[in-house]
């Protein structure tokens, strides 16, 4: 999709901007770092580690953070996934699990939120790799459905100092992802319906399934509400 390289370029531009500004003010304001870990709800159970750079100087009063997260989530409808990616068989007991790794680059803008002066507005690009695993016990079928997606996130954070180096923080917001190609077994469905080996829908005159059918059956990241709690440690 045309938006993918645009988002990637935007991320690189923001990184370059931060590096340039830091280079201009580093002699007056030594850069500092914190490392953090958070967990909570992210359309499923999520856990994330991150590192934040701050103290760029008065001319750039914004913190920059890079994070990597893992979310365990419901991968979708097992019966529909089998029909859309393999065949119309119905035997076997379905078991399923899903996970998403996400990579995030954030700008943290200082704000006063709910009366807390140590709070931030958070915005930045996202990249997710999704895998849904489907196993039909006694049905002789096991397969994964995967996708990769770009997105953007927006949120709020409240930080609470606990010790000189340790602080607790709450983060809440929403990540949104662009539709991605769904691939499973030897079949794939793309948002533009340039599909590979689409299965036939025996409930619709054996017409091939479309991307909208696969996207409805598989819960790849789309809107990912998050409410998480964690700790930051000054390095």
């Amino acid at each position: 999709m045309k938006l993918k390289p645009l988002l990637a370029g935007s991320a690189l531009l923001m990184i370059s901007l931060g590096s340039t500004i830091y280079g201009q003010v580093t002699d007056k304001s030594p850069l500092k770092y914190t490392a953090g870990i958070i967990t909570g709800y992210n359309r499923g159970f999520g856990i994330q580690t991150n590192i934040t750079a701050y103290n760029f100087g008065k001319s750039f009063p914004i913190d920059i953070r890079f994070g990597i997260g893992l979310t365990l989530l419901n991968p979708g409808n097992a019966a529909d996934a089998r029909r859309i990616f393999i065949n119309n068989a119905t035997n076997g007991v379905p078991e399923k699990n899903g996970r998403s790794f996400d990579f995030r680059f954030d700008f943290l803008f200082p704000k006063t939120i709910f009366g807390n002066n140590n709070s931030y507005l958070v915005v930045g690009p996202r990249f997710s790799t999704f895998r849904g695993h489907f196993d039909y016990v006694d049905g002789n079928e096991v397969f994964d459905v995967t996708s990769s997606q770009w997105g953007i996130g927006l949120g709020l954070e409240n930080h609470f100092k606990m010790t000189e180096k340790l602080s607790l923080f709450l983060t809440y917001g929403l990540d949104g992802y662009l539709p991605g190609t769904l691939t499973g077994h030897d079949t794939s469905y793309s948002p533009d319906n340039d599909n590979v080996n689409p299965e036939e829908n025996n409930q619709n005159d054996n017409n091939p399934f479309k991307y909208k059918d696969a996207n409805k059956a598989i819960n790849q990241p789309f809107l990912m509400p998050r409410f998480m709690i964690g700790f930051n440690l000054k390095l």
Side-chain angles (χ1 to χ4, degrees):
M1 298 179 65
K2 293 182 179 180
L3 286 176
K4 290 184 180 180
L6 177 61
L7 286 170
S10 299
L12 291 173
L13 178 62
M14 289 188 287
I15 294 171
S16 300
L17 175 62
S19 300
T20 301
I21 293 176
Y22 168 60
Q24 294 173 347
V25 302
T26 183
D27 57 328
K28 298 180 180 179
S29 180
L31 195 61
K32 298 180 181 180
Y33 299 92
T34 63
I37 184 169
I38 59 175
T39 186
Y41 179 75
N42 188 34
R43 214 202 81 190
F45 172 76
I47 186 168
Q48 175 191 318
T49 61
N50 58 67
I51 186 166
T52 303
Y54 67 102
N55 204 43
F56 287 93
K58 293 183 179 180
S59 61
F60 191 68
I62 300 171
D63 298 352
I64 293 179
R65 179 172 64 199
F66 176 74
I68 300 175
L70 169 66
T71 300
L72 305 179
L73 43 78
N74 180 352
N77 186 300
D80 288 346
R82 188 180 197 177
R83 294 178 58 235
I84 292 170
F85 286 91
I86 296 186
N87 55 44
N88 289 297
T90 58
N91 61 319
V93 179
E95 295 181 354
K96 61 183 181 178
N97 60 75
R99 63 103 178 111
S100 171
F101 280 108
D102 64 80
F103 305 85
R104 55 189 60 233
F105 187 84
D106 287 323
F107 283 117
L108 286 75
F109 298 85
K111 297 288 181 181
T112 299
I113 301 172
F114 303 138
N116 185 340
N117 294 326
N118 194 16
S119 299
Y120 300 87
L121 171 67
V122 181
V123 62
R126 308 283 184 259
F127 181 75
S128 168
T129 61
F130 165 82
R131 187 197 72 179
H133 180 73
F134 299 91
D135 185 357
Y136 303 83
V137 179
D138 297 326
N140 197 31
E141 296 287 5
V142 180
F143 70 101
D144 293 339
V145 177
T146 61
S147 70
S148 299
Q149 301 164 267
W150 286 97
I152 192 167
L154 179 66
L156 302 174
E157 287 188 9
N158 294 119
H159 292 229
F160 306 92
K161 185 175 180 180
M162 301 180 68
T163 68
E164 188 62 30
K165 287 196 170 184
L166 187 67
S167 63
L168 177 146
F169 69 101
L170 300 175
T171 178
Y172 31 93
L174 181 69
D175 295 336
Y177 290 91
L178 297 171
T181 297
L182 291 161
T183 301
H185 204 247
D186 61 351
T187 297
S188 68
Y189 297 90
S190 299
D192 60 1
N193 276 313
D194 184 15
N195 304 322
V196 177
N197 296 325
E199 295 294 323
E200 295 181 348
N201 185 353
N202 67 346
Q203 298 178 8
N204 185 26
D205 297 326
N206 289 327
N207 290 315
F209 285 105
K210 302 292 186 180
Y211 177 80
K212 66 178 182 180
D213 304 309
N215 193 47
K216 182 178 179 180
I218 304 299
N219 292 337
Q220 68 173 334
F222 174 48
L223 295 179
M224 303 282 283
R226 50 195 271 118
F227 183 86
M228 308 180 83
I229 185 171
F231 296 93
N232 275 335
L233 178 66
K234 290 184 179 179
L235 301 178

